[in-house]
Amino acid sequence: MDPLVSFFDPDDCSPNCVQQTNLHNINQNVLPPEPQVGNIEYKLKIINPSKQRFEHLVTQMKWRLREGQGEAIYEIGVEDTGALTGLSCNDMTASLQTLKQMALKLGATTTILRDRVLENNKIVTEVLVRKVPDDQNNIEIRVAVLGNADAGKSTLLGVLTQGHLDNGNGRARLNMFRHLHEVQSGRTSSISHEILGFNSQGQEINYSYSDLMTAEDICEESNKLITFLDLAGHKKYIRTTIQGLSGYLPHHAMLVISSSAGAVGMTQEHLSIAVALKVPFFIVITKTDLVSPRSTLQSLESFLKQVGCQKVPLIVKNIDDAITAGANQLKDNVVPIFCVSSVTGEGLKLLLKFLFVLPPGLGINERERLEQELPEFQIDENFRAGDVGQIVGGLLTKGAITEGMHLNIGPHKDGSFTTVTVQSIHRNKVPCRMVRAGQSAAICLNRQIDDLRNGMFLLSTEDKAAVGCFYFQANICVLFHSTAIYCGFQTTVFIGNIRQTAIIVGIFSSDCIHTNERDSVLFKFTRLPEHVRIGQRLLFREGRTKGIGEITQVFPCS
Ligand SMILES: Nc1nc2c(ncn2[C@@H]2O[C@H](COP(=O)(O)OP(=O)(O)OP(=O)(O)O)[C@@H](O)[C@H]2O)c(=O)[nH]1
């Protein structure tokens, strides 16, 4: 890909263009005080430490890396209070050398993200330290791609993952489609997964990295891997889109908006689903070669308010902004916005930098807690492969699964589960012995399952909740209905990767529920029993009617 320049002329983004967070506050001579927890560490200088001090620094780095699931950010030349004191050139070189040695001791790499020269001519340097956990090939981040039909999602993914610019007529998206009718109509209806890797120095590893690159090569060469879920933009495929967002537990959502069409059609609907499911998101305005993004940017603030999120847009104008936005140094209420063209390549460099530093989702405590629970593997794909037998693909939401483990699979039509054995495990097409909470994998089972379907689970044989249910109770909030919801209302319900029609058979405190009202209701699945749990979030949608909720009671099949 050609070297790309920042698209924005600073004058073009004057404060009246769109109200945005003042990044200069963040980039000025003070940072917030050093966080006690998390993966960010400040060091004023680290020169010639004693052996004991060096060991202490290494232990501390190990801890910061664990906090960031393999990634830590070091700010050198910064006091614990956050004051940017800076170092002379020589002191900085010596400190970076020590940092490198510390990282080396842990088998980690260091990458300088940026240098800042202060008014006193001293330097502050930000360094990304990365260590891929021993049981993983790389650090993986799942990004769901949302946006209206024709916004340019598949094209943007094509450009990022194939490494070649588009011609404005759909050349880049051709590689992204799975089904023939999509090639013909140019629309994405199934969920396709595309990968983009980065090596430790931040260089993209995609299909253009060298001749004959395969997905396996990309996984092998990268120490950070972004898995994009390209969700369909057309209204017709909204169910697939919701299922992708709800079932694949993406760490981030990328909302693509065309600067020629603006935030139209399904854009608002997609964003409100991401907000309801609490998926953090960022926005990419594409096709800036056709139309200036100015008016789309102007409408974004009110657009964000409409979907009920109190977020402030931040236009990413330079590498510094991209790093600040990606390295989790912004407040939660800030939405980074990139303006790009998949045809000229403008702005893509900033987006790539942002993706390179984007942190993995869960904090270490949450992840460890999940890993200690009994395994729960949700089945999103299933196929039989010749002699190998039955393979199920999906996401492990809790616990850990190892080869040879006995697990229960179900629910079958009568709500029961039956026992299977794990023959082998593959992650990103590479065999591995173990899969942990938060990771996706393909698992080969010892026998064929006749009524196997997506939405089933593999659960621990000790899990008492391994049973299906037709009935469950939930506290719901109706986000929209043209009149009111009564008993007998039939709707598609999305719970994790489960998607099935259900009927509301009981409303607890009144006869009906209007828009913006809440109530506790009893749902009944119409076709098959499903495995659901108390506390799970749900989404329902039928025509223009939609709502969200949380499961409060489950009535297992007896
Ligand atoms: N000029 C220009 N055209 C673009 C750009 N990005 C995409 N396009 C064109 O816009 C059209 C639609 O792009 P797609 O990537 O298929 O749109 P999509 O959002 O994936 O659409 P769905 O799959 O239906 O959800 C294609 O003809 C692309 O060539 C861009 O940055 N500039």
Side-chain angles (χ1 to χ4, degrees), residues 454-467:
N454 299 344
M456 276 184 163
F457 283 85
L458 284 170
L459 301 175
S460 162
T461 47
E462 291 164 37
D463 194 336
K464 302 272 181 296
V467 63

Side-chain angles (χ1 to χ4, degrees), residues 303-320:
F303 167 71
L304 288 172
K305 278 203 188 107
Q306 274 164 21
V307 293
C309 60
Q310 304 296 319
K311 303 258 185 188
V312 190
L314 160 78
I315 304 165
V316 175
K317 285 179 273 178
N318 50 43
I319 288 287
D320 216 28

Side-chain angles (χ1 to χ4, degrees), residues 22 24 66 74 83 129 156 173 208 217 266 274 289 347 368 375 378 420-421 492 540 545:
N22 188 354
H24 300 289
R66 267 168 50 88
Y74 272 68
V129 184
L156 177 62
R173 78 182 172 207
S208 69
D217 297 335
M266 300 307 282
D289 56 297
E368 281 184 355
Q378 59 177 43
V420 288
T421 309
T492 309
F540 59 90
T545 303

Side-chain angles (χ1 to χ4, degrees), residues 477-494:
C477 172
V478 176
L479 299 177
F480 180 79
H481 191 285
S482 52
T483 54
I485 287 177
Y486 290 86
C487 273
F489 174 72
Q490 195 162 322
T491 180
T492 309
V493 176
F494 301 83

Side-chain angles (χ1 to χ4, degrees), residues 150-155 166 168-170 173 188 233 286-287 289 342-343:
D150 286 340
K153 300 180 295 300
S154 304
T155 302
D166 186 46
N169 278 319
R173 78 182 172 207
T188 320
T286 182
K287 305 194 190 182
D289 56 297
S342 298
V343 169

Side-chain angles (χ1 to χ4, degrees), residues 428-448:
N428 292 317
K429 301 185 181 162
V430 181
C432 62
R433 298 202 171 280
M434 183 186 227
V435 49
R436 293 173 187 277
Q439 296 179 336
S440 46
I443 296 180
C444 179
L445 304 176
N446 64 326
R447 64 179 175 87
Q448 309 228 324

